[in-house]
């Protein structure tokens, strides 16, 4: 199915998302577009996955479906009627559990039922039923601090199911638990959904895990990087229960890999307009991962297929994408088609000693406006130090959709390797590193 195009069936849809665009306004007055011309249909009795890179706007789209966010432009219909405010027919499962720590399991599950003013007997019956359903019977009086990550998420799922939602919205619900627990929870959610005498009728799940969406979804909506657009809607015809080792399962994973790689790491980068190119979004990759990628490529003649890199290193594909994008941002690799190739700068880096590596690294950092901005801020201070919260504020204002703490951590990691910046956690101050160079001198 083509990007951003779907027909709207009459009388068959739960949701119809029509040409939805959404923009946030930063404290400085800049308009930040996160969704653009999204068209989407959610039908009864299906699981739909929203798949896309981190920060692309998947969670914002989910909140639009919940009625928590009113889109800047476009319309959302629920059962053919415009959605006004929060949709009472949806349950929401959050990535971070969102449990109240001073409440027991039972009290957390009862919370939305009491908020709806239901009779005490019905509140008790419903909450006890869903607690049994998610396998937490016997833990009703436990507090969140006494539960494992998987058990906390079961509480979150029980709370969402307690209101008997017609649609269950799930925002990366398994990303905070270990792999085995995540696999178990996926299967249990599908079992609950498959019992058609129970709610929910349909599920919309946000994920960046390709294996997860192939296991769970009937349709997979692939979104572009911000602003999110619908690149492709992929039907998943695999019968349930699905086997992770099934050749057809693996074939669909490979196909989705190709779709994502073609847009995330294109052969010819698309230049951004000046207003968007000022602040680069730093991929969540450590210096050791970037250097490890270069050494891996060097041992294989300087080039390798990105799928083979993921397979041979046993790393999650999204993680490999992040590391490759980081290395490409620093001009250490190039990405023709599905290959990752060491650039001339990357080869110099691999062949250099430690001090020359640091110098090359600094040179590439100075080409990024985020590092230039922080450097300029430090130079304006008499002691060349600033409170780290000022740096965090700059990140928040420039990239309000990003996880500012994660960006700050990546900024410091990369800068420390080049002796460009340093961060003292005790005093919460950022300072110029041991190499007091200037951008002009370094780049020259």
């Amino acid at each position: 199915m083509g990007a951003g195009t779907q027909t709207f069936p009459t009388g068959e849809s739960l949701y119809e998302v029509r040409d939805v665009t959404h923009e946030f306004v930063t404290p400085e007055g800049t308009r930040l577009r996160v969704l653009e011309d999204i068209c989407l249909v959610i039908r009864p009795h299906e699981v739909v996955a929203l798949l896309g890179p981190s920060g692309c706007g998947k969670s914002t789209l989910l909140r639009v479906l919940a009625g928590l966010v009113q889109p800047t432009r476009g319309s959302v219909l629920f059962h053919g009627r415009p959605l006004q405010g929060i949709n009472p027919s949806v349950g929401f499962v959050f990535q971070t559990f969102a449990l109240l720590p001073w409440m027991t399991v039972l009290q957390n599950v009862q919370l939305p039922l009491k908020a709806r003013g239901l009779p005490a007997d019905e509140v008790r019956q419903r909450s006890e039923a869903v607690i049994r359903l998610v396998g937490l019977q016997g833990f009703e009086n436990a507090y969140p601090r006494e539960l494992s990550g998987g058990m906390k998420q079961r509480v979150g799922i029980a709370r969402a199911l307690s209101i008997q939602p017609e649609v269950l919205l799930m925002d990366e619900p398994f990303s905070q638990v270990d792999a085995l627990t995540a696999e178990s929870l996926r299967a249990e959610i599908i079992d609950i959904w498959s019992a058609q005498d129970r709610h929910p009728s349909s599920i919309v799940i946000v994920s960046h895990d390709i294996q997860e969406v192939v296991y769970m979804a009937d349709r997979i909506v692939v979104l572009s990087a911000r602003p999110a657009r619908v690149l492709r809607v992929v039907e998943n015809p695999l019968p349930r229960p699905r086997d992770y080792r099934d050749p057809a399962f693996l074939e669909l994973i490979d196909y989705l890999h190709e779709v994502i790689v073609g847009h995330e790491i294109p052969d010819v980068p698309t230049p951004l307009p000046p207003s968007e190119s000022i602040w680069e979004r730093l991929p969540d990759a450590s210096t050791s991962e970037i250097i490890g990628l270069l050494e891996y490529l060097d041992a294989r003649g300087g080039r390798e297929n990105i799928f083979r890199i993921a397979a041979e290193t046993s790393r999650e594909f999204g993680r490999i994408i992040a590391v490759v994008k980081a290395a490409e941002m620093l001009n250490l690799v190039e990405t023709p088609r599905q290959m990752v190739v060491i650039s001339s700068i990357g080869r110099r880096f691999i062949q250099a000693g430690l001090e020359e590596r640091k110098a090359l690294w600094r040179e590439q950092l100075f080409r990024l406006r985020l590092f230039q901005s922080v450097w300029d801020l430090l130079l304006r201070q008499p002691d060349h130090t600033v409170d780290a919260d000022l740096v965090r504020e700059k990140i928040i204002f420039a990239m309000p959709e990003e996880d500012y703490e994660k960006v700050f951590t990546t900024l410091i990691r990369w800068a420390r390797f080049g002796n460009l910046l340093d961060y003292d956690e005790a005093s919460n101050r950022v300072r110029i590193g041991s190499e007091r160079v200037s951008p002009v001198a370094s780049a020259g």
Side-chain angles (χ1 to χ4, degrees), residues 400-415:
E401 277 292 282
E402 297 296 311
D403 183 334
Y404 71 90
E405 195 62 51
K406 188 177 291 185
V407 174
F408 177 80
T409 299
T410 302
L411 168 78
I412 296 300
R413 280 180 177 176
W414 291 13

Side-chain angles (χ1 to χ4, degrees), residues 328-396:
E328 186 175 39
M329 178 179 286
L330 295 170
N331 298 312
L332 300 173
V333 302
E334 298 168 352
T335 55
R337 299 184 67 83
Q338 297 176 9
M339 301 300 293
V340 184
V341 182
I342 293 183
S343 67
S344 58
I345 294 174
R347 193 162 295 285
R348 283 174 55 200
F349 184 92
I350 283 295
Q351 295 170 352
L354 179 59
E355 290 309 312
E356 188 181 350
R357 281 188 175 189
K358 289 178 179 290
L360 284 169
W361 188 274
R362 284 195 299 275
E363 181 178 335
Q364 301 315 307
L365 293 186
F366 274 132
R367 297 178 189 276
L368 302 178
R369 292 297 300 273
L370 174 57
F371 289 87
Q372 289 180 13
S373 180
V374 175
W375 180 267
D376 291 343
L377 175 65
L378 287 164
L379 287 182
R380 291 196 297 269
Q381 313 307 313
D383 59 353
H384 299 314
T385 73
V386 296
D387 191 296
D389 288 341
L390 287 178
V391 179
R392 292 185 177 96
E393 285 179 10
K394 290 178 73 68
I395 294 170
I396 292 169

Side-chain angles (χ1 to χ4, degrees), residues 165-384:
E166 190 169 4
V167 182
L168 184 64
L169 305 178
M170 310 185 79
D171 190 2
E172 300 206 35
F174 314 122
S175 61
Q176 301 294 317
V177 300
D178 64 87
L180 289 177
T181 300
E183 189 172 323
S184 174
L185 286 172
R186 290 182 200 119
E188 290 178 31
I189 287 293
I190 293 301
D191 287 344
I192 291 170
W193 165 79
S194 298
Q196 291 298 340
D197 59 321
R198 296 192 183 116
H199 292 288
S201 168
S202 295
I203 296 173
V204 183
I205 181 171
V206 160
S207 181
H208 64 273
D209 186 326
I210 296 177
Q211 179 176 271
E212 178 171 278
V213 303
V214 171
Y215 179 81
M216 296 192 71
D218 299 301
R219 287 188 301 133
I220 301 159
V221 181
V222 183
L223 300 173
S224 69
R226 191 176 70 202
R229 302 177 182 88
V230 177
L231 298 177
R232 198 164 303 177
V233 180
V234 179
E235 300 284 343
N236 185 350
L238 299 178
R240 302 181 195 277
R242 293 172 181 164
D243 184 350
Y244 291 99
R245 298 162 297 180
D246 182 357
F249 188 99
L250 299 174
E251 183 179 347
L252 183 52
I253 286 178
D254 289 342
Y255 173 72
L256 290 169
H257 279 162
E258 292 175 6
V259 172
I260 292 172
V261 169
H263 289 275
E264 279 295 283
I265 310 182
D267 297 341
V268 181
T270 303
L272 293 172
S275 61
E276 294 182 17
S277 63
I278 295 175
W279 294 89
E280 306 88 349
R281 298 192 295 272
L282 301 185
D284 180 22
S286 67
T287 54
S288 60
E289 287 177 312
I290 297 169
I291 296 170
L293 172 67
L294 296 179
E295 292 173 344
Y296 172 94
L297 293 172
D298 185 56
R300 287 157 180 78
R303 59 191 295 126
E304 187 55 272
N305 181 282
I306 192 167
F307 302 127
R308 186 178 296 276
I309 296 173
E312 290 189 350
T313 58
S314 300
R315 303 295 297 277
E316 194 267 321
F317 189 71
R319 190 70 192 158
I320 295 298
I321 288 281
V323 176
V324 170
K325 288 183 73 173
E328 186 175 39
M329 178 179 286
L330 295 170
N331 298 312
L332 300 173
V333 302
E334 298 168 352
T335 55
R337 299 184 67 83
Q338 297 176 9
M339 301 300 293
V340 184
V341 182
I342 293 183
S343 67
S344 58
I345 294 174
R347 193 162 295 285
R348 283 174 55 200
F349 184 92
I350 283 295
Q351 295 170 352
L354 179 59
E355 290 309 312
E356 188 181 350
R357 281 188 175 189
K358 289 178 179 290
L360 284 169
W361 188 274
R362 284 195 299 275
E363 181 178 335
Q364 301 315 307
L365 293 186
F366 274 132
R367 297 178 189 276
L368 302 178
R369 292 297 300 273
L370 174 57
F371 289 87
Q372 289 180 13
S373 180
V374 175
W375 180 267
D376 291 343
L377 175 65
L378 287 164
L379 287 182
R380 291 196 297 269
Q381 313 307 313
D383 59 353
H384 299 314

Side-chain angles (χ1 to χ4, degrees), residues 57-89:
K58 302 185 297 294
S59 295
T60 300
L61 179 54
L62 204 68
R63 282 160 172 74
V64 168
L65 293 177
L68 296 169
V69 171
Q70 179 68 33
T72 306
R73 189 174 70 241
S75 60
V76 179
L77 306 182
F78 187 71
H79 285 298
R81 297 180 178 180
L83 182 62
Q84 302 289 341
I86 296 175
N87 189 344
S89 298

Side-chain angles (χ1 to χ4, degrees), residues 422-434:
D422 200 6
Y423 170 53
D424 180 64
E425 294 184 11
S427 62
N428 193 40
R429 295 193 71 80
V430 176
R431 58 173 55 87
I432 287 178
S434 59

Side-chain angles (χ1 to χ4, degrees), residues 9-234:
T10 302
E12 297 179 5
S13 63
L14 293 175
Y15 272 108
E16 296 175 18
V17 179
R18 297 184 170 182
D19 301 314
V20 161
T21 293
H22 188 63
E23 296 177 339
F24 290 105
V25 179
T26 70
E28 297 175 333
T30 304
R31 302 190 72 84
L32 181 71
R33 182 164 294 186
V34 293
L35 302 175
E36 184 159 17
D37 296 329
I38 299 289
C39 293
L40 183 64
V41 170
I42 310 297
R43 300 187 290 256
H45 313 305
E46 71 170 349
V47 180
V48 175
L50 306 178
L51 177 67
S54 177
C56 75
K58 302 185 297 294
S59 295
T60 300
L61 179 54
L62 204 68
R63 282 160 172 74
V64 168
L65 293 177
L68 296 169
V69 171
Q70 179 68 33
T72 306
R73 189 174 70 241
S75 60
V76 179
L77 306 182
F78 187 71
H79 285 298
R81 297 180 178 180
L83 182 62
Q84 302 289 341
I86 296 175
N87 189 344
S89 298
V90 303
F92 207 110
V93 178
F94 299 90
Q95 177 182 359
T96 54
F97 314 137
L99 304 181
L100 298 179
W102 59 87
M103 288 188 174
T104 65
V105 167
L106 181 62
Q107 290 169 335
N108 268 284
V109 173
Q110 290 179 336
L111 194 61
L113 300 175
K114 290 182 176 180
R116 295 188 174 207
L118 297 178
D121 286 347
E122 187 174 355
V123 169
R124 178 179 53 79
Q125 291 170 4
R126 281 203 200 183
S127 57
E128 289 177 353
V130 292
I131 286 172
R132 287 195 301 272
L133 183 64
V134 301
L136 285 178
Q137 191 172 13
F139 290 90
E140 291 88 348
N141 295 319
Y143 288 90
R145 64 178 180 274
E146 300 170 320
L147 305 177
S148 67
M151 294 172 76
K152 290 177 185 176
Q153 194 56 293
R154 288 176 193 273
V155 179
I157 293 167
R159 182 178 55 194
L161 293 176
S162 71
I163 63 171
Q164 299 177 353
E166 190 169 4
V167 182
L168 184 64
L169 305 178
M170 310 185 79
D171 190 2
E172 300 206 35
F174 314 122
S175 61
Q176 301 294 317
V177 300
D178 64 87
L180 289 177
T181 300
E183 189 172 323
S184 174
L185 286 172
R186 290 182 200 119
E188 290 178 31
I189 287 293
I190 293 301
D191 287 344
I192 291 170
W193 165 79
S194 298
Q196 291 298 340
D197 59 321
R198 296 192 183 116
H199 292 288
S201 168
S202 295
I203 296 173
V204 183
I205 181 171
V206 160
S207 181
H208 64 273
D209 186 326
I210 296 177
Q211 179 176 271
E212 178 171 278
V213 303
V214 171
Y215 179 81
M216 296 192 71
D218 299 301
R219 287 188 301 133
I220 301 159
V221 181
V222 183
L223 300 173
S224 69
R226 191 176 70 202
R229 302 177 182 88
V230 177
L231 298 177
R232 198 164 303 177
V233 180
V234 179

